[in-house]
Amino acid sequence: MAAVKACNILITGANRGLGLEFVKQLLKDSSQKQHIFATCRDPDGPKSEVLRELTKKHPNVITIIRLDADDPCSIKESAKKVGSLLGKCGLNLLVNNAAKMANGNIQTSSVEDMKNTFNTNVIGPLLIIKEYLPYLQAAAKASGIPGMSSNKAAVINISSLGGSMTRMPPMYIQFPELPYCISKAGFNMLTVLAAEEFKADEILCMALHPGWVKTEMGGEKAPLESKESVEGMLRVIGSLTEKQHGGFLDYTGETIPW
Ligand code: NDP
C-alpha cells in the first residue's frame, strides 16, 4: 500500500517498467486531491498504450506529458505545461525514473554509449530538476510545515547499485555495464549536490535503488517483480524525513554506501 500522500506528483519514464508501476500503485491509493503527471517521450506511440488506457480510465488523476530527457526543449516545454496546470500548491514530488542502459567494459564501451547514457541519466535529470525547481519551491512554501518530507517537496532520483563505488566493483565482472554505472555514479553526485542546494528551501532530495527488477532493463533473470519493488519504494518515499536528505537507500529502506 502506497504511503505517499503528496498532492502533485511527476514521474519520468512513466509509460513502462517501474515508472508505469509507480503510476498504477499511486492510483490505487490516490486521494481526490492527488494528481499524477505521467511523463514519457512518445505519448502517442505504441510503447505508451497501457499508460494511455490507464489515463482514459482516470482522466481526473493522470495527465500525460511529453518529456524526452535527451531533449532540453522538451523538458522546458513540459515544465511550462505542468506549471500551467499546477496552481499555487506547486509540485510536491518529482521522481526522476527514466534512464538508459548500456553494457560494455573499457575495451568495448563506445563513445556513443558513454555520451548517450550521460545525456539521459545525468544531464536530463539535471535539467528536469532545474526547470521544475520553481514549482518544488512553491510547494515547500505553500505547505507551511517545517522540516522535509515527500508530501511537502521532494526529488527522488531512481539510481542503482551500479552507481555505488563500494557495491559495484565486486559485481562488475559478472555485470560489465561500464557506461551505465559511470552515468549512475554521476547521477549520485548530482543527488548529493542538489541536496546541498535545496537545504535552505527544505526540498528533500535523495537517491533510491529499486533492487534488481524484472523489466526491460532488469531482464528476465531478475529476482524481483515491479510490484514488490515499487511497493517498497513507495513505502520508503512515504517515510522520508530530513534524516535521509542527501542519502542513498534501497527499496527496503536499507542505506547503501556511496
Ligand atoms: P526500463 O528500461 O524498463 O524503462 C525505462 C524507462 O525510461 C522507459 O519508460 C523509457 O521510455 C524511459 N526512457 C529512456 N530514455 C528516455 C528519455 N531519453 N527520455 C524519457 N524517458 C526515457 O527500465 P526500468 O523501469 O527497469 O528502470 C527504471 C529506473 O530504475 C531507471 O532509472 C533504472 O536505471 C533504475 N534501475 C532499474 C533496475 C532494474 O533491475 N530494473 C536496477 C537498478 C536501477 P521509452 O519507452 O520511450 O524507451
Side-chain angles (χ1 to χ4, degrees):
M1 180 90 124
V4 172
K5 301 283 176 231
C7 278
N8 290 318
I9 301 171
L10 185 138
I11 300 162
T12 66
N15 58 310
R16 60 183 173 92
L18 296 174
L20 180 64
E21 185 63 27
F22 267 117
V23 177
K24 285 181 180 169
Q25 291 196 23
L26 284 166
L27 265 179
K28 275 193 217 158
D29 198 32
S30 76
S31 67
Q32 283 191 335
K33 270 171 45 192
Q34 198 164 61
H35 201 86
I36 305 165
F37 296 94
T39 78
C40 57
R41 55 180 160 177
D42 186 11
D44 302 319
K47 282 181 172 178
S48 304
E49 198 178 335
V50 179
L51 179 62
R52 283 198 302 273
E53 287 305 314
L54 213 54
T55 306
K56 264 188 212 159
K57 284 187 199 150
H58 304 274
N60 299 326
V61 187
I62 312 174
T63 303
I64 302 180
I65 302 281
R66 195 183 104 76
L67 190 165
D68 182 342
D70 294 344
D71 174 6
C73 289
S74 109
I75 295 173
K76 247 189 199 312
E77 275 167 27
S78 77
K80 253 194 211 161
K81 178 90 203 277
V82 171
S84 72
L85 300 170
L86 276 174
K88 279 186 200 151
C89 330
L91 180 66
N92 305 98
L93 180 58
L94 164 61
V95 183
N96 268 317
N97 164 76
K100 187 170 287 164
M101 159 65 83
N103 293 306
N105 57 27
I106 288 176
Q107 302 296 334
T108 60
S109 295
S110 68
V111 172
E112 274 313 290
D113 280 346
M114 294 303 296
K115 284 183 178 171
N116 287 339
T117 47
F118 198 76
N119 256 335
T120 311
N121 303 351
V122 185
I123 300 175
L126 167 67
L127 296 180
I128 292 165
I129 292 171
K130 180 179 163 186
E131 294 300 332
Y132 284 90
L133 185 57
Y135 309 133
L136 289 158
Q137 286 168 327
K141 268 203 185 131
S143 88
I145 311 162
M148 291 181 180
S149 85
S150 59
N151 298 338
K152 178 175 170 177
V155 176
I156 307 299
N157 288 335
I158 306 301
S159 188
S160 169
L161 273 190
S164 163
M165 308 259 175
T166 319
R167 299 286 289 276
M168 187 55 203
M171 302 189 291
Y172 176 56
I173 300 304
Q174 195 190 350
F175 299 101
E177 299 164 348
L178 182 138
Y180 174 76
C181 291
I182 292 179
S183 73
K184 286 295 189 180
F187 190 41
N188 286 347
M189 183 58 109
L190 170 63
T191 306
V192 170
L193 298 183
E196 279 305 307
E197 282 196 37
F198 296 167
K199 262 185 203 161
D201 286 324
E202 295 188 331
I203 298 168
L204 195 153
C205 181
M206 56 86 68
L208 190 52
H209 168 62
W212 183 16
V213 195
K214 276 192 193 75
T215 60
E216 215 168 296
M217 186 185 289
E220 271 308 304
K221 286 186 186 153
L224 275 177
E225 297 293 337
S226 296
K227 183 175 178 289
E228 191 181 348
S229 164
V230 172
E231 274 171 4
M233 287 197 281
L234 285 173
R235 222 174 285 128
V236 173
I237 293 170
S239 69
L240 295 171
T241 68
E242 50 271 32
K243 278 190 197 152
Q244 290 82 31
H245 181 60
F248 189 10
L249 304 184
D250 74 5
Y251 74 105
T252 68
E254 204 167 292
T255 297
I256 298 177
W258 295 108

